[in-house]
Amino acid sequence: MSILVIGGTGTVGGRVTARLRKAGHDVRVASRHTEPRFDWTDPGTWSSVLHGVPTMFVLLPDQTEMPEAFLPEALRAGVRRVVLHSDRGLEVMGLGHLQKAEDQVRDSAPEWSIVRPDWFHQDFETFFRQPVIDGRLSVPVGDAAQGFIDADDIAAVEVAALTGDDLLGRLVEVTGPRALSFGAAAATIAAATGRPVEFDGSPDAFRAAMRSDGLPDEIVESLIEGYTRLRARGDTEPTGTVEAILGRPGRDFADYAAEATARGVWDPAG
């Protein structure tokens, strides 16, 4: 089966691509840096990547809307199944571009699945890597427990949606096997690395950290509003969908922290 993977070079998309290829599928990865080139803002690049693929995985870049004309062109080209990578916090965080994309997929695709993951374990080696190295992490969600999930588990669920029929027509919310607060996650990383990682879940600490990074005040305040709603939602209850779909437990955060430490993810000299 030929499968188009749009957004197939990042944390999750790269894992989706690798799993599909390992399973023997013909995979076409599309991005601005592939040949043929794909650019969401350039409709002239769409047809060459859409031709001849009945199944498509879509992971949109941050704050990028799916153009209204894209799915109709994909369907005309022969795409029948669409699996969309979304976000479990889209309503709380006000991610309107993803809500719109979900509506487009549900309304247009003959076969569809939408996967909404919680925070990734790997966020601590991308967005939060430098704060962990610096020993001070600030996210204004207080001690509300989050459903941190490993990117490998997300990819495995999305591959199941691409290659099987059990998840057709479903919105699948995926979390890790247990919920833990950012403070508990920071303490787990500290135990694994042997270096202190303090966590401050207050808006003031986050505001100061973002301003020191040069983020404009209006963006900082908008982020704080979203995180405040996330905090008010309270503790996450693990969904158990990874276990139900894959027939195995999801990866625990402590296992991830130990493995990432062994890879030198938070090595200050790395």
Side-chain angles (χ1 to χ4, degrees), residues 153-177:
D153 291 332
I154 301 169
V157 169
E158 291 171 337
V159 166
L162 288 163
T163 59
D165 295 340
D166 291 346
L167 302 182
L168 289 180
R170 287 182 56 186
L171 190 156
V172 184
E173 294 196 348
V174 289
T175 67

Side-chain angles (χ1 to χ4, degrees), residues 132-136 190 193-198:
V132 168
I133 290 173
D134 294 340
R136 186 170 179 82
T193 61
R195 296 190 303 273
V197 182
E198 298 179 1

